[in-house]
Amino acid sequence: MQAPSSPNQSSPASPETHASDETLRTWLQAAPFTLAMSSGFFGFFAHCGVLQALEEQGLLPQSAAGSSAGALVTGAWAAGLSAASLRDELLSLQRRDFWDPGFGLGLLKGRLFQERLRRLLPNHRFEECRIPLSVSVYDLRKQQTIALQQGDLISAIQASCAFPFMFQPVRIKGRPYLDGGIADRPGLLGVPEEERIFFHHLASRSPWRRRNSSALKIPTRPNLAALVLQGLPRVGPFRLPEGKHAFQQAYEGTLRALDLPLEPNPPAGRWVQVHLETPLLSPAS
């Protein structure tokens, strides 16, 4: 998933910079990175807040990856949509915009969601994206995750977001697929081990996951820096108004996190954590 370095990337940090002094901002500026975002039900509001903070600060990825909510946000941005445009779309979202019950292996047919994606995204194929992209989906026949990196982007995002029993499976070339977060919550399957990864980890536990589930742990990779925003509001199809607060708190939290030091995440990788309490900044415009 390598791509030419963005003009926004600065030169590598000097050898005198000690790991203990390195902030998330200096880590992101030091060399090209892949932006990865985890699954997490309606966590796309928070993911979009993180993305808008990065975009405003000129900290842009060379490639992207994600599962479910993470695939929606990274996929939309890779397809050419700005973070601000995605924010406006999400904050205007109402349940009737995607609620289309029908007979099948899931409550919702998903046609309204697909139509909305096709209207919204500037480009509809992986090959047309501005950066390389990997989208994790779950192959029902093989009962395993695969990473899609070419072909129809709309179907890939829809499949990665097809939460079991809520959405019906999405067929791609005749094969049925479901939510990429089923077995790849981080959405990192298609990202080579050697790549530098900035990973937004949605820390909240969905009711259907066990408290000690390994899927809730931050991935440990030598070149991974994770952002964890504790205390984000829960959002769902019947709690859509909370999306505005999730977006705003994630946006503010990311701006705070950029200038905090990265801490070790044994056995490998680094992370920074922000506890969200009282908003400090005015709403993003």
Side-chain angles (χ1 to χ4, degrees):
M1 290 177 60
Q2 295 293 334
S5 298
S6 164
N8 293 290
Q9 303 289 351
S10 63
S11 58
S14 66
E16 289 78 17
T17 300
H18 299 290
S20 59
D21 300 326
E22 188 174 30
T23 65
L24 177 58
R25 184 187 301 275
T26 56
W27 187 92
L28 291 170
Q29 291 173 333
F33 66 92
T34 292
L35 173 63
M37 292 182 159
S38 74
S39 70
F41 204 35
F42 276 59
F44 40 76
F45 290 96
H47 282 325
C48 187
V50 173
L51 181 61
Q52 177 148 338
L54 294 178
E55 192 174 69
E56 289 180 356
Q57 299 295 307
L59 300 169
L60 304 180
Q62 64 148 5
S63 55
S67 274
S68 198
L72 174 60
V73 174
T74 58
W77 192 85
L81 198 68
S82 69
S85 295
L86 179 59
R87 173 204 65 199
D88 293 345
E89 174 73 14
L90 292 179
L91 296 188
S92 67
L93 187 67
Q94 298 184 48
R95 192 167 66 252
R96 66 170 179 262
D97 296 330
F98 60 87
W99 204 258
D100 57 353
F103 180 77
L105 299 177
L107 174 63
L108 305 180
K109 294 181 289 186
R111 291 176 185 170
L112 288 179
F113 179 38
Q114 183 186 88
E115 291 169 3
R116 202 167 187 88
L117 285 175
R118 291 199 181 279
R119 289 195 304 269
L120 180 66
L121 301 193
N123 294 298
H124 294 173
R125 296 187 62 80
F126 282 89
E127 294 83 358
E128 298 167 342
C129 288
R130 55 179 156 185
I131 57 173
L133 173 69
S134 179
V135 171
S136 291
V137 297
Y138 187 78
D139 187 321
L140 273 175
R141 290 181 183 172
K142 292 183 177 180
Q143 295 190 9
Q144 67 182 42
T145 306
I146 66 169
L148 299 177
Q149 299 176 348
Q150 58 184 0
D152 183 16
L153 175 62
I154 304 299
S155 295
I157 294 175
Q158 183 189 3
S160 192
C161 294
F163 185 77
F165 304 113
M166 179 176 173
F167 281 104
Q168 296 172 14
V170 176
R171 290 189 174 272
I172 301 175
K173 296 183 178 179
R175 298 186 68 87
Y177 295 95
L178 278 175
D179 195 308
I182 292 174
D184 181 24
R185 189 172 189 267
L188 294 174
L189 179 65
V191 183
E193 287 285 338
E194 66 274 10
E195 288 196 18
R196 297 176 82 247
I197 301 167
F198 172 53
F199 176 66
H200 181 218
H201 175 76
L202 289 170
S204 61
R205 181 182 68 86
S206 300
W208 50 87
R209 289 197 187 272
R210 300 188 308 274
R211 291 188 179 277
N212 60 349
S213 171
S214 60
L216 298 174
K217 297 179 180 178
I218 301 172
T220 53
R221 288 196 182 196
N223 298 319
L224 182 144
L227 169 63
V228 181
L229 301 171
Q230 295 283 4
L232 287 167
R234 285 190 177 275
V235 188
F238 297 95
R239 292 175 58 88
L240 288 175
E242 289 298 313
K244 178 180 179 180
H245 304 297
F247 168 86
Q248 187 63 33
Q249 290 187 30
Y251 170 77
E252 295 179 0
T254 303
L255 291 178
R256 296 183 215 176
L258 286 173
D259 296 311
L260 294 177
L262 287 165
E263 302 293 339
N265 179 35
R270 318 272 292 285
W271 76 313
V272 60
Q273 180 175 221
V274 174
H275 290 271
L276 301 170
E277 296 173 357
T278 305
L280 300 181
L281 304 174
S282 59
S285 58

